[in-house]
Amino acid sequence: MPDISRVGAVNIEHGHFPVGELWEPGFERREDKPDVQPDEPVVVVPGQIVVTSPVQEHTALVVLAVSDREGEAPGPAWSLVASVDYQPVYRGRMAALDTMNGPAGPAAGPIEVFGLQAEPGEPLVVLDPARTYRAQVWSQGRSDSRERFDSAMQRRHWGPRDGLESYLIAFVTRGMQEPPAPAVGGSRRDRLVRRHGRPPLNMR
């Protein structure tokens, strides 16, 4: 049985949203910037999976899951967007994030995935940092979301921009890896020097 998160509402800005691994104290932060391209549905950088949307700004429903069955659709109305490889870089806590505002808030209502009712709440799952994963991105409504959005704008319907798309990101175990380890000890000054190449002004 898949481990399924609650349903979050992600505020999509600039046509994409990340599913990111939450940083843990003691680890060096991975802050790689994804090169988001409109024609690439999913982009991966260390610590993040970035999903692009045909609609620039709106609210989408997002559920995360951990499964042991690759290729299993969450339901008959879901279509596969892309499959990508992911390796945990901290301790494996994955959350759906707003583009600019951090972890997503709860959705207004439940949705059904894998025959179960996922209730509104925080979209968060925990991966095993000693494993590697295949992340499968599924969607509802994506194929014609832009057309429906444009049609609403032509009718001058300027109400809430939600209900256009739903996403489920299912992490399927693939292999093993050496679990990421916290950074080598040292002072805060030393850690900042390692990250930025020189100490901050107040520590020189």
Side-chain angles (χ1 to χ4, degrees), residues 97-118:
L97 309 171
D98 284 347
T99 309
M100 304 295 290
N101 303 319
I111 61 176
E112 184 174 316
V113 291
F114 297 116
L116 301 172
Q117 196 85 334

Side-chain angles (χ1 to χ4, degrees), residues 37 39-44 49-52 81-84 135 137 142:
Q37 300 293 332
D39 57 343
E40 290 189 50
V42 180
V43 177
V44 181
I49 296 168
V50 180
V51 181
T52 63
V81 176
S83 294
V84 294
V137 180
R142 179 187 172 93

Side-chain angles (χ1 to χ4, degrees), residues 17-33:
F17 71 93
V19 173
E21 192 169 347
L22 301 178
W23 176 75
E24 306 281 354
F27 286 81
E28 292 284 0
R29 287 185 184 271
R30 301 300 301 263
E31 298 180 327
D32 303 73
K33 301 298 182 187

Side-chain angles (χ1 to χ4, degrees), residues 12 16 19 25 27 35 41 76-77 87 121-122 130-131 156 177 192:
I12 295 176
H16 67 276
V19 173
F27 286 81
D35 182 15
Q87 297 175 232
E122 185 178 20
R131 293 184 176 273
R156 299 188 181 277
Q177 70 168 1
L192 291 171

Side-chain angles (χ1 to χ4, degrees), residues 160-174:
R161 300 177 185 181
D162 55 15
L164 295 172
E165 298 176 329
S166 298
Y167 288 93
L168 179 133
I169 294 86
F171 294 90
V172 183
T173 55
R174 291 294 297 271

